[in-house]
Amino acid sequence: MQRILNTLRLTAKELRAIARDVVMLVLIAYVFTVSTYMVADAISTEVDHLAVAVIDEDQSILSARLTDSIQPPLFKSPDMIAADQALQAQKDGKYILVVDFPPDMERDLKAGRSVTINIDVDATAVAHAGNGAAFMSQMLGQEITRYFSPSAVDGSQIDVVFRSFYNPNLTSKWFTSVMQLMNSITILTLILAGASLIREREHGTIEHVLVMPVRPPEIVVSKILANGLVILIAAVFSLIVVVEWLLAVPVSGSVLLFVLGTALYVIALASLGLLLATFTKNMGQYGLLVIPVIVVMILLSGGITPLESMPGFLQVAIRILSPAPHFVAFAQSVLYRGSGIGLVWPEMATMAGMAVFTFSVTLMRFRKVLSG
């Protein structure tokens, strides 16, 4: 009972220290509100009003019809340019796509000869360019088919229907908002946990704690509890107010289950943050150490690029060393697909195991630092 009381008192002390750190509070509020909203609302790989130019060397009814079919919202109304202007226009960044209808296109198609329509793509914006070129190619093909056989209906034709589950309109905002929230949890948990120990060392209050009748496990647990509680409250607020309300992203699963899984993830991260802080003496050193860790964890979490696209050895390594891919899989399953604990318990168990292991290593390292 005395250990529990000591831990609670130390937790209250940590919470008061966070409350007095105005800069940190502003950072937490900004990251979980403004930053989440801005990133989700502004960053998009959807095809939306792409700038298009058309080189019409055919000057036929078909080429005019194809030009008229290039319309918002996927594309801007196309500009007509000459062939010798296309290269410079794309160098100047004016157009993502330049569509070139060759001479005698309609006549060749009517005669049964093959025709090549060139689509020059500014591939510096890879996602937009690739998606835009695919949509443009599909649209032109459909329009040409309708032009030459407007009344052709064959009941034996196969109609392929795509059904998009969990994000029926393929809205990138639904994905980006949750991934940004998860990245914010990762970044701020590591920063807050490490800063709590660095702050004690820089202010000299760690010596005061050492003369108190408390043990290292109580100090470590109090720091994890205090910082984890702040992160959890901010994350739930961001999920409900920013993601679900402001961005109108439907949350299918249980928020309580998400909080439980996030708590396991936060414990593992906070333990890691404290472990890294034991190797540094000030915030400058800690920042240089933790930034590469954050970058690797986020980039290899599966939230930006699928794990399946990574080399096999890297997939195995990151699943063993980092809780981030397990948290990404857990959060996507719960928030998007509405999965219950029966489906996500393996990811939760893995995060719990990593939390226990990281906490144990941190505690051993913490004892050495205090004794030193």
Side-chain angles (χ1 to χ4, degrees):
M1 181 60 67
Q2 186 61 43
R3 292 182 179 181
I4 294 176
L5 291 175
N6 289 343
T7 302
L8 293 177
R9 292 190 184 101
L10 290 171
T11 302
K13 178 186 76 68
E14 293 294 333
L15 291 173
R16 287 194 296 269
I18 296 173
R20 289 193 296 267
D21 194 338
V22 178
V23 175
M24 187 64 71
L25 291 177
V26 172
L27 175 63
I28 294 172
Y30 170 79
V31 168
F32 281 103
T33 55
V34 178
S35 177
T36 300
Y37 181 87
M38 290 178 63
V39 169
D41 196 50
I43 297 179
S44 173
T45 58
E46 298 172 8
V47 178
D48 183 24
H49 290 85
L50 292 189
V52 180
V54 170
I55 304 171
D56 189 355
E57 299 180 277
D58 187 35
Q59 297 295 321
S60 64
I61 297 175
L62 174 60
S63 64
R65 178 167 174 170
L66 293 177
T67 301
D68 290 339
S69 68
I70 304 172
Q71 295 294 335
L74 294 179
F75 309 100
K76 292 181 179 178
S77 296
D79 296 332
M80 306 300 297
I81 63 174
D84 57 357
Q85 298 174 329
L87 181 60
Q88 187 60 45
Q90 285 198 304
K91 281 185 177 180
D92 294 339
K94 293 181 179 179
Y95 305 108
I96 299 294
L97 304 175
V98 174
V99 182
D100 185 359
F101 300 129
D104 302 324
M105 175 179 65
E106 183 175 355
R107 185 170 60 184
D108 289 342
L109 287 173
K110 287 181 177 179
R113 292 187 291 267
S114 63
V115 170
T116 300
I117 299 176
N118 291 322
I119 302 178
D120 297 328
V121 183
D122 179 1
T124 53
V126 177
H128 285 92
N131 293 338
F135 276 114
M136 179 66 73
S137 177
Q138 181 181 18
M139 185 189 67
L140 293 177
Q142 292 174 347
E143 194 64 29
I144 291 173
T145 301
R146 284 194 294 265
Y147 179 75
F148 284 102
S149 55
S151 59
V153 178
D154 186 355
S156 64
Q157 291 177 329
I158 298 176
D159 186 14
V160 179
V161 178
F162 291 94
R163 296 181 180 179
S164 301
F165 293 102
Y166 316 118
N167 189 351
N169 296 320
L170 302 180
T171 306
S172 61
K173 185 187 300 183
W174 290 19
F175 175 79
T176 309
S177 59
V178 175
M179 292 305 102
Q180 178 62 20
L181 173 60
M182 295 162 65
N183 292 340
S184 299
I185 292 172
T186 301
I187 294 170
L188 284 185
T189 302
L190 286 171
I191 292 177
L192 274 179
S196 66
L197 179 57
I198 299 296
R199 183 172 51 239
E200 299 267 19
R201 303 177 90 175
E202 290 184 339
H203 294 174
T205 54
I206 189 68
E207 287 79 5
H208 299 165
V209 175
L210 294 178
V211 299
M212 297 172 59
V214 295
R215 299 185 178 185
E218 297 165 7
I219 300 174
V220 174
V221 170
S222 67
K223 292 184 180 298
I224 293 175
L225 285 178
N227 294 290
L229 180 61
V230 172
I231 294 298
L232 282 177
I233 293 174
V236 172
F237 176 86
S238 182
L239 177 66
I240 295 175
V241 176
V242 179
V243 175
E244 193 171 12
W245 182 47
L246 291 179
L247 294 171
V249 178
V251 175
S252 301
S254 168
V255 175
L256 182 61
L257 180 59
F258 173 74
V259 171
L260 180 59
T262 304
L264 297 174
Y265 182 60
V266 165
I267 293 173
L269 283 183
S271 300
L272 178 60
L274 289 171
L275 177 62
L276 295 176
T278 60
F279 292 97
T280 61
K281 297 181 179 179
N282 52 59
M283 280 302 298
Q285 292 181 359
Y286 182 70
L288 292 174
L289 180 60
V290 78
I291 287 175
V293 175
I294 291 174
V295 171
V296 171
M297 289 186 68
I298 291 178
L299 291 181
L300 301 182
S301 66
I304 297 178
T305 57
L307 285 177
E308 292 75 13
S309 64
M310 302 177 190
F313 75 92
L314 189 57
Q315 294 183 39
V316 175
I318 199 65
R319 291 180 191 275
I320 294 175
L321 298 176
S322 173
H326 303 284
F327 181 60
V328 168
F330 161 81
Q332 289 179 346
S333 183
V334 171
L335 298 181
Y336 290 134
R337 298 188 287 273
S339 301
I341 194 169
L343 292 177
V344 297
W345 71 263
E347 304 295 344
M348 296 178 67
T350 303
M351 289 190 292
M354 289 184 171
V356 171
F357 176 78
T358 310
F359 176 81
S360 302
V361 176
T362 300
L363 190 57
M364 290 188 293
R365 174 65 188 170
F366 195 75
R367 282 172 172 158
K368 291 182 179 179
V369 171
L370 293 183
S371 62

